[in-house]
Amino acid sequence: MSYIDIVKQLKKGSVSPLYLLYGSEGYLIEDTLQRIIDTGLEEGEREFNLSKYDMKEYPIEVAIEEAYTFPFMGGRRIVILKDAFFFTAAKEKTSVEHDLNKLEGYLENPAPETIFIMVAPYEKLDERKKIVKLAKKNGAFMDGSPLEEKELHIWVHERAKEQGVEINVGAIDQLITLCGAQLMLMASELVKLAIHVGEGATIYRDHVDSLVARSLEQNIFALVDGVVKQNIDQSWSIYQDLLKQKEEPLKIISLMVRQFRILYQVKQLMQQGYSQKQIAGQLKLHPYVVKLAGGQARQFKDEELLNLLDQLADMDYKIKTGQLDKFLAVELFFSKRSRQKV
């Protein structure tokens, strides 16, 4: 089940007695967890009827005993298992021993007045385990993997609606690009944008461009994009802005190397027939970042990317060995790019 599907159910007031939340996108898991709590308990009930147990510190039996305890003053109880690593193949260092037979029993017969939430912030579950099969069969489970492009658009649109505003497609694309598809950052920027345009209004790309600041990584992406498109004036302007922000030339060079290396790796995997999602998994990048990198990589031949990486590596070496001034080195790099196409 997707994050969006679970949110839809919760907005209707529908809750499950069992939830298994897993995946590498921490913001999705935390946001879903908070939404379940908000739906399941009133603010005044949480002091007595909300319990959290870190599975590296408490045995599962303690949490299960709590789940079977009748809620204080009636109503519901919520019990949260944090870092439930035993749903995966991960080997965690902990002295705590868990009786998973008792967990199996609970998953087969959950307490009707309790919302039992199991949080496993890992990329994959161990589908061979009985507890995984029971949790999926008898409860709701959410794959908290990074959202695909279509899901990102839906997520931004829904978050904007929650802030009382609309947002058009161009603004969504620009927001995702400027924030590097980081959900927490986008959520924060949407609040700012909504306040700026006012309730009932629409957020357009111009609003995003004027109010959302580029991260260092996004500035490097734009700088590299200028190199890709032979728009050296754009790259030079961004570089000068970064210097004004007190960024070190060596750090900028390092991030440029990282970006060109990503382009090369993405290009190689694309040529081998890997999908965007598979490449994201291989390189530990967000699928949207892979999409943008793929667009840049198509404009280079393999040898061109390798040549650029060699130039930057040589420049880095000469700076660190005192053969070349760091500011002059970067100026020479851009000067060479402006005179010829690699």
Side-chain angles (χ1 to χ4, degrees), residues 37 40-53 66 71-74 76-78:
I37 293 170
L41 292 176
E42 297 292 335
E43 189 73 38
E45 299 176 306
R46 296 175 193 181
E47 182 178 355
F48 304 103
N49 290 327
L50 174 62
S51 305
K52 299 178 183 180
Y53 295 96
E66 181 78 9
F72 182 76
M73 299 293 289
R76 287 195 184 106
R77 176 180 294 282
I78 293 181

Side-chain angles (χ1 to χ4, degrees), residues 223-230 260 263 296 299-300 337:
L223 187 155
V224 167
D225 196 55
V227 174
V228 170
K229 296 174 180 176
Q230 287 294 293
F260 279 117
L263 298 191
Q296 288 184 329
Q299 301 184 56
F300 281 108
R337 290 297 302 171

Side-chain angles (χ1 to χ4, degrees), residues 124-341:
K124 293 181 180 179
L125 300 176
D126 188 341
E127 302 287 348
R128 301 166 299 177
K129 291 187 174 182
K130 187 176 179 180
I131 53 173
V132 173
K133 294 174 182 176
L134 287 172
K136 286 190 170 185
K137 177 184 176 182
N138 299 328
F141 63 94
M142 185 193 78
D143 179 358
S145 300
L147 299 177
E148 301 284 349
E149 185 179 359
K150 182 179 178 181
E151 294 172 320
L152 273 173
H153 273 250
I154 295 172
W155 182 86
V156 173
H157 182 71
E158 290 300 316
R159 294 290 297 203
K161 283 175 63 178
E162 289 176 1
Q163 296 297 324
V165 297
E166 295 292 330
I167 182 168
N168 80 344
V169 174
I172 293 176
D173 283 332
Q174 188 67 349
L175 180 66
I176 294 171
T177 299
L178 291 182
C179 293
Q182 297 177 53
L183 298 185
M184 185 176 294
L185 181 57
M186 286 195 290
S188 175
E189 294 295 342
L190 276 169
V191 172
K192 182 168 68 178
L193 288 162
I195 292 172
H196 176 75
V197 301
E199 189 171 352
T202 300
I203 298 169
Y204 293 101
R205 178 169 178 151
D206 288 348
H207 297 128
V208 176
D209 283 331
S210 62
L211 290 176
V212 178
R214 290 180 185 270
S215 65
L216 174 59
E217 289 75 16
Q218 183 53 39
N219 272 314
I220 295 298
F221 181 89
L223 187 155
V224 167
D225 196 55
V227 174
V228 170
K229 296 174 180 176
Q230 287 294 293
N231 188 350
I232 304 305
D233 287 343
Q234 170 189 306
S235 295
W236 179 251
S237 177
I238 294 170
Y239 171 66
Q240 290 297 316
D241 286 342
L242 290 173
L243 291 182
K244 290 175 185 176
Q245 295 167 27
K246 308 299 182 183
E247 295 293 349
E248 270 291 316
L250 275 172
K251 183 177 182 181
I252 295 171
I253 293 168
S254 174
L255 289 170
M256 287 173 64
V257 169
R258 177 180 181 272
Q259 184 62 26
F260 279 117
R261 187 178 293 119
I262 287 172
L263 298 191
Y264 182 75
Q265 292 171 326
V266 168
K267 187 173 180 64
Q268 293 301 303
L269 292 172
M270 286 168 58
Q271 290 171 350
Q272 294 174 38
Y274 282 72
S275 68
Q276 181 178 304
K277 189 172 183 179
Q278 288 172 324
I279 294 173
Q282 285 279 330
L283 302 181
K284 305 300 181 186
L285 297 170
H286 194 285
Y288 192 79
V289 173
V290 171
K291 178 192 173 185
L292 295 178
Q296 288 184 329
R298 289 188 187 94
Q299 301 184 56
F300 281 108
K301 294 179 181 178
D302 290 355
E303 57 268 26
E304 290 175 334
L305 282 170
L306 289 173
N307 188 16
L308 274 169
L309 285 167
D310 285 343
Q311 287 181 43
L312 290 166
D314 183 60
M315 181 168 63
D316 182 74
Y317 173 76
K318 287 181 177 178
I319 292 171
K320 289 178 178 176
T321 55
Q323 299 178 52
L324 199 57
D325 176 77
K326 59 186 177 182
F327 296 102
L328 178 60
V330 181
E331 288 181 27
L332 289 172
F333 173 79
F334 284 122
S335 177
K336 182 177 180 179
R337 290 297 302 171
S338 68
R339 291 197 306 270
Q340 64 181 27
K341 185 174 181 178

Side-chain angles (χ1 to χ4, degrees), residues 1-10 19-22 28 32 140-148 151 154-155:
M1 183 176 293
S2 72
Y3 162 85
I4 292 167
D5 291 333
I6 283 189
V7 170
K8 284 180 180 177
Q9 288 186 351
L10 292 171
Y19 285 95
L20 175 56
L21 312 178
Y22 70 96
L28 284 183
T32 304
F141 63 94
M142 185 193 78
D143 179 358
S145 300
L147 299 177
E148 301 284 349
E151 294 172 320
I154 295 172
W155 182 86

